[in-house]
Amino acid sequence: MRRKFIAGNWKMNTTRAEGVALATAVANGVGTQADVEVAVCPPSVYLAAVGEALAGSAVGLGAQNCYHEAKGAFTGEVSPAMLVDVGCKYVILGHSERRATFKETSADVNRKVVAALAAQLTPIVCVGETLDERKANRTKAVVREQLEGSLGLLTAEQVVKLVIAYEPVWAIGTGVVATTEQAEEVHADLRKLLETRYTSQVAASVRIQYGGSVNAENAASLLSQPNIDGALVGGASLKAEGFLAIVAAARK
Ligand code: 13P
């Protein structure tokens, strides 16, 4: 059984005080209940403070990015070991905003995934097509290319340790959520790809989250699908009540 996994990607939002208050409210709401896996991913400068607010709860801490090198002359970058050092368990990698705005390629994402795994972090590897790509019937090819490029030469032992997030770019921050059918179709394709590249056991154990305009209203329907194992939530993760409602939907 794949345990449902709800993660909040706060992106570049909140002040330190707001982040601590939000994390405290999420931690209080989730408590020590671990039937659904829950994580919040604040801006990196607030990781330590948010981690303190989460202490004693079942809510994990995640980062939104990292660099693939362990240390050295890489001004402005943060290593996987540094993230572990401040209490992170997860790191989001290859988010479409990083791919589009910061020109990260799937090869870059792969280097980061390898480094994150080596540091014992759980990577949340994002893939997703743009609206133009969907309209051109290229969704399957695009997510396939992104997944294959991002996984690279990972072994089965490595792949079972990561989480995949399908985030159609046209659904991110737009309020236009993918229909449950659209999401489930891509999730099933991604799982099939894992089966082809690895084994049916690997495919059956890797969690695939959906992301893109997930909220308290649409979460239950998405999470009812056989291949949708959780959600990577942006905007709706910035309010504790809405985020906790999504966690509650995953419990059903
Ligand atoms: P929204 O939930 O705001 O659409 O963002 C989704 C996302 O990008 C999560 O990583």
Side-chain angles (χ1 to χ4, degrees):
M1 255 310 263
R2 297 185 294 270
R3 187 160 61 124
K4 291 260 193 304
F5 178 24
I6 308 295
N9 175 7
W10 295 0
K11 306 191 181 183
M12 200 170 74
N13 291 296
T14 80
T15 62
R16 177 185 156 112
E18 287 164 354
V20 167
L22 176 56
T24 303
V26 170
N28 287 339
V30 171
T32 54
Q33 273 188 282
D35 51 342
V36 172
E37 199 166 319
V38 182
V40 295
C41 306
S44 60
V45 288
Y46 303 142
L47 282 168
V50 166
E52 273 174 39
L54 299 176
S57 80
V59 182
L61 185 67
Q64 300 172 16
N65 181 34
C66 70
Y67 194 55
H68 67 270
E69 294 284 356
K71 61 177 179 171
F74 305 102
T75 302
E77 294 297 321
V78 173
S79 75
M82 290 169 183
L83 296 180
V84 172
D85 197 23
V86 292
C88 284
K89 200 170 159 210
Y90 311 91
V91 60
I92 299 169
L93 294 174
H95 191 280
S96 64
E97 287 149 20
R98 297 223 50 95
R99 291 179 188 263
T101 309
F102 302 99
K103 307 293 172 229
E104 278 186 21
T105 64
S106 290
D108 295 327
V109 177
N110 175 249
R111 278 188 283 275
K112 295 179 180 204
V113 169
V114 170
L117 285 169
Q120 314 296 329
L121 282 170
T122 297
I124 301 174
V125 182
C126 305
V127 298
E129 83 287 1
T130 63
L131 187 57
D132 283 349
E133 289 164 341
R134 175 161 283 266
K135 282 184 179 159
N137 256 327
R138 295 192 54 234
T139 298
K140 201 170 171 169
V142 167
V143 298
R144 183 194 183 106
E145 183 272 328
Q146 289 178 347
L147 187 69
E148 290 193 330
S150 303
L151 299 188
L153 299 174
L154 292 186
T155 64
E157 290 69 32
Q158 289 173 304
V159 170
V160 293
K161 291 184 183 142
L162 54 76
V163 173
I164 294 167
Y166 168 55
E167 299 205 311
V169 177
W170 48 271
I172 295 177
T174 59
V176 183
V177 65
T179 65
T180 48
E181 294 76 19
Q182 284 173 323
E184 170 61 18
E185 186 184 6
V186 177
H187 282 235
D189 277 347
L190 290 168
R191 202 174 300 287
K192 209 168 289 161
L193 205 65
L194 291 174
E195 185 174 345
T196 309
R197 279 192 56 143
Y198 298 94
T199 63
S200 51
Q201 288 96 317
V202 168
S205 69
V206 172
R207 274 129 8 126
I208 308 177
Q209 296 175 315
Y210 167 81
S213 297
V214 175
N215 59 35
E217 285 73 46
N218 59 34
S221 165
L222 288 159
L223 293 168
S224 71
Q225 297 301 299
N227 288 295
I228 301 182
D229 308 312
L232 184 53
V233 187
S237 72
L238 294 172
K239 292 259 176 353
E241 198 185 359
F243 186 64
L244 289 169
I246 296 167
V247 173
R251 286 222 161 89
K252 294 201 180 107

